[in-house]
Amino acid sequence: MSNEGDAPKPRAQRLGVREIAKRVGVAPMTVSRVLSNPDMVSPETRARVLKAIDQAGFVPNRLASSMRGSGRMIGTVVPPLINSGIAEQVQGMSDECHESGYSMLLVQGEFTTEAEEHSIRTLIGWRPAGLILQSFVQSDAARSLLQNGATPVVEISEIKGHKPIDMVVGVSNFETAYAMTMHLAAKGYKRVGFVSTPIHGNDRLQQRRIGYHAALKDLGIKDRAGMEVEVPLTAQGGAEALNRLTDRHKDIDAIFFSSDTLAVGAIQECHRRGWKIPDRIGIAGYGDIDLAAQLFPPLTTVRVDRYEMGRRSVRVLLSRLSGNQKIPTITSLGFEIVDRDSA
Amino acid sequence: MSNEGDAPKPRAQRLGVREIAKRVGVAPMTVSRVLSNPDMVSPETRARVLKAIDQAGFVPNRLASSMRGSGRMIGTVVPPLINSGIAEQVQGMSDECHESGYSMLLVQGEFTTEAEEHSIRTLIGWRPAGLILQSFVQSDAARSLLQNGATPVVEISEIKGHKPIDMVVGVSNFETAYAMTMHLAAKGYKRVGFVSTPIHGNDRLQQRRIGYHAALKDLGIKDRAGMEVEVPLTAQGGAEALNRLTDRHKDIDAIFFSSDTLAVGAIQECHRRGWKIPDRIGIAGYGDIDLAAQLFPPLTTVRVDRYEMGRRSVRVLLSRLSGNQKIPTITSLGFEIVDRDSA
DNA sequence: CTGTTAGCGCATTCAG
DNA sequence: CTGAATGCGCTAACAG
């Protein structure tokens, strides 16, 4: 029933290091070395192996390599990509990964405890060399998953008051919002509203809100009810926020939006109403998206280099992977208040 | 030197199906079954295994599973995410993957032959269950990589005149551009310019351009020199295109932008100049991004459901993976000319 | 329903 | 510089 003795074991000639080795007349190990440590192989042998690989159209199996410890994959969980400026970060991460020969496993997660934990489990299942998280790790289950494992973790997160799991890259959202609120005050605005997208579970937004309040307090401005709203992350959300806020308080003179997308929507709404910006109302955003400078009127906003944040997070991770333990646990990128015409 | 006889083989108790099995007192295979075919295991055994897994915080190694043939990873190569509407597609793909228990390996590629080939090689190295490509596969090397392999491939691509590698999901960019050009003509515009982002290597953009020309021809409008420009995919690019086109031809009365991002930029430029839209010039976009409807004035554009395209491509792929061979090779999604006020 | 055997393709030893 | 043996963790395939 089984073919042991005579049949030449007709196993389909699967294309692998073994097969290539056979064709060239060397040991599989030699082929493997050509792939990962070319210098350990003599130039001639190497050339012959390379040629065979090319002719066969052989693409080494990365899964197998990874199982032996040298995985070149990094996993990341990010918030929804649309309208959020996250796309820039992902681009930065992707570029940096690519240049270093890493692949990127991407999971999108919402800001809920269960979703977060599930995403992290999924990623860990693939035994990535490292993890980059943009969700605020809340659940204890998730934290312990991460801390037990030997997988390095970079959180792209709020810098302030955060107990890092491992490494953190980010900006102080508190500072940025504080700075923008102060900036608006310095420009003469007295009654500044604040608009955010859903804050729950997002430490960055939370800190922006706190920064806004801290600035008001330091300015000696009393909190008034109804100066804040929460809307979906869409241009329409921005318009809606403008409407709600200005309905409640006719005297509101500026609004600080926690996202440029929102601010852009609000500005369109002002055009629709025939309101002059910044005369009738000042509008400030957050993120400095591509459109911000081009907008009419140009948008005053907080510039955070999202692309660089993405790149940096990967770099920090890879640096740790290459055995460098001298890496600071926290990397804070700068920010800039970009003063344009909208406020 | 080696411990064979007496030493209890002190292999670090790695956490794996084996270890879990030992703790529960079953065979590794049973644990494996609990993981992938729970129904094949008796409820009690299953419960005990699940409990042990949970207590140990065990996350099964997906690399190992994948090597045995049941990989749940799909690979994708996409153009740059920023400003392109690709983010929506990625979101759709991600959501659909997630719901089906798949993970997504993401590679960003530029539209060059080498980059494309490199990206595809990288992806194939991970032996994904399937591939979704948004680059126009040009190089023969890449095509053969794809065709030899047994990996199902979905191309999100132009529908028209495309020789598919395997499956195709997309819209007819030709038709969309043709329809929009006709639409503009029907609204009375006589001299319509065309603006695109760099077209080279991007079959979708190529087809939009061809569609535009075909419509002009059918309308009996002669091609005039200088009615087209190519600019970077930024709002500023859109403004620049407007400037260049209106400098060349004072009498141009509408511009069809191959991307909403461009159109938005152009509209801002009009505001800056004090030009009324659509009186002084009509502006049409492509994509119907979130902002389009909210813009002042609202943007006339081509609506293509990018999110759905992403979802659909994954669904088509998974359907093929589950053995369904009756899948049509081409899936064409619809489009819609959204007539708003900007043209 | 459960267990046994065998091996996916590569790379880490260690020995030439 | 090259090779042989061994196993990463899991799951088909086949018994029982």
Side-chain angles (χ1 to χ4, degrees), chain A residues 1-324:
Chain A
M1 226 72 142
S2 63
N3 52 342
E4 292 150 359
D6 43 5
K9 235 183 186 182
R11 66 190 311 145
Q13 319 254 32
R14 295 174 189 294
L15 210 47
V17 284
R18 182 149 44 224
E19 177 60 20
I20 299 293
K22 196 180 297 171
R23 296 191 191 178
V24 180
V26 295
M29 198 51 230
T30 303
V31 177
S32 174
R33 278 197 266 258
V34 169
L35 259 17
S36 31
N37 294 77
D39 296 338
M40 293 178 66
V41 180
S42 78
E44 306 140 43
T45 313
R46 194 192 316 160
R48 284 194 302 142
V49 170
L50 250 15
K51 191 177 158 206
I53 288 178
D54 193 50
Q55 283 181 349
F58 167 58
V59 181
N61 187 331
R62 299 250 223 163
L63 297 171
S65 328
S66 296
M67 284 191 66
R68 292 310 268 140
S70 60
R72 285 184 165 283
M73 175 163 76
I74 80 149
T76 184
V77 21
V78 298
L81 290 166
I82 303 173
N83 283 344
S84 61
I86 295 291
E88 276 84 348
Q89 265 176 57
V90 171
Q91 180 112 30
M93 289 173 38
S94 169
D95 288 352
E96 189 75 30
C97 279
H98 203 254
E99 288 165 21
S100 312
Y102 278 73
S103 298
M104 201 176 76
L105 200 56
L106 184 88
V107 172
Q108 289 198 49
E110 303 291 331
F111 286 114
T112 69
T113 318
E114 313 83 54
E116 168 194 76
E117 194 182 324
H118 184 258
S119 303
I120 292 174
R121 289 191 101 81
T122 301
L123 249 23
I124 289 183
W126 291 103
R127 302 294 189 270
L131 246 29
I132 298 180
L133 307 177
Q134 305 211 32
S135 65
F136 175 32
V137 181
Q138 312 167 83
S139 82
D140 289 336
R143 288 190 85 92
S144 71
L145 271 177
L146 259 22
Q147 273 159 337
N148 292 345
T151 315
V153 177
V154 171
E155 290 167 279
I156 297 188
S157 174
E158 169 60 30
I159 294 296
K160 190 168 179 290
H162 183 74
K163 180 162 176 296
I165 296 178
D166 191 352
M167 293 165 280
V168 183
V169 171
V171 299
S172 169
N173 286 268
F174 175 91
E175 297 295 343
T176 53
Y178 184 92
M180 178 55 93
T181 309
M182 284 301 192
H183 176 79
L184 292 173
K187 291 191 91 170
Y189 295 103
K190 306 283 187 212
R191 291 167 297 278
V192 179
F194 180 77
V195 178
S196 159
T197 51
I199 253 178
H200 179 74
N202 187 327
D203 65 334
R204 282 150 290 183
L205 293 179
Q206 281 163 11
Q207 288 296 328
R208 287 180 209 166
R209 181 166 174 274
I210 296 175
Y212 157 77
H213 281 291
L216 290 189
K217 192 177 172 196
D218 289 357
L219 288 163
I221 298 176
K222 281 243 159 61
D223 268 343
R224 265 206 301 179
M227 293 292 280
E228 285 176 52
V229 279
E230 211 171 276
V231 288
L233 182 51
T234 59
Q236 197 182 353
E240 194 184 312
L242 179 92
N243 289 336
R244 280 207 250 157
L245 244 27
T246 54
D247 278 358
R248 281 188 211 153
H249 299 287
K250 306 291 178 200
D251 63 347
I252 204 166
D253 59 4
I255 303 179
F256 175 21
F257 290 86
S258 73
S259 156
D260 279 353
T261 296
L262 257 26
V264 170
I267 288 181
Q268 305 312 306
E269 178 65 18
C270 289
H271 288 157
R272 230 171 280 132
R273 296 182 173 200
W275 285 10
K276 292 268 186 265
I277 302 168
D279 304 336
R280 174 59 183 81
I281 193 163
I283 302 286
Y286 194 108
D288 197 26
I289 58 175
D290 164 58
L291 177 59
Q294 203 58 31
L295 204 64
F296 179 78
L299 184 65
T300 290
T301 189
V302 180
R303 175 182 299 154
V304 182
D305 192 341
R306 309 295 256 275
Y307 180 81
E308 179 57 24
M309 259 171 78
R311 286 198 91 106
R312 195 64 82 78
S313 57
V314 172
R315 235 177 292 147
V316 165
L317 193 60
L318 296 187
S319 174
R320 158 72 54 90
L321 286 174
S322 60
N324 184 353

Side-chain angles (χ1 to χ4, degrees), chain B residues 171-321:
Chain B
V171 299
S172 169
N173 287 268
F174 175 90
E175 297 296 342
T176 52
Y178 184 92
M180 177 56 94
T181 310
M182 283 300 190
H183 176 80
L184 292 173
K187 292 192 91 169
Y189 295 102
K190 307 284 188 211
R191 291 165 298 277
V192 179
F194 180 76
V195 179
S196 159
T197 51
I199 253 178
H200 180 74
N202 187 327
D203 64 335
R204 282 150 289 185
L205 292 179
Q206 281 164 10
Q207 288 297 329
R208 287 179 210 168
R209 181 166 174 275
I210 296 174
Y212 157 78
H213 282 291
L216 291 189
K217 193 178 170 196
D218 289 356
L219 288 163
I221 298 175
K222 282 242 162 60
D223 269 343
R224 266 205 302 179
M227 292 292 279
E228 284 175 53
V229 280
E230 211 172 275
V231 289
L233 183 50
T234 59
Q236 197 181 355
E240 193 183 312
L242 179 91
N243 289 336
R244 278 207 251 158
L245 243 26
T246 54
D247 278 359
R248 282 189 209 151
H249 300 287
K250 304 292 177 202
D251 63 349
I252 203 164
D253 58 5
I255 304 180
F256 176 20
F257 290 87
S258 74
S259 156
D260 279 353
T261 297
L262 258 27
V264 170
I267 288 181
Q268 305 311 307
E269 178 65 18
C270 289
H271 287 159
R272 227 170 283 132
R273 296 180 173 202
W275 285 10
K276 291 270 186 266
I277 302 170
D279 304 336
R280 174 61 185 79
I281 193 163
I283 302 285
Y286 195 107
D288 196 26
I289 58 174
D290 164 59
L291 176 59
Q294 203 58 33
L295 204 64
F296 179 79
L299 184 65
T300 290
T301 188
V302 179
R303 175 182 299 154
V304 182
D305 192 342
R306 310 295 255 275
Y307 180 81
E308 178 58 24
M309 259 170 79
R311 284 199 93 106
R312 195 65 82 80
S313 57
V314 173
R315 235 178 291 148
V316 165
L317 193 59
L318 296 187
S319 174
R320 158 71 53 91
L321 285 175

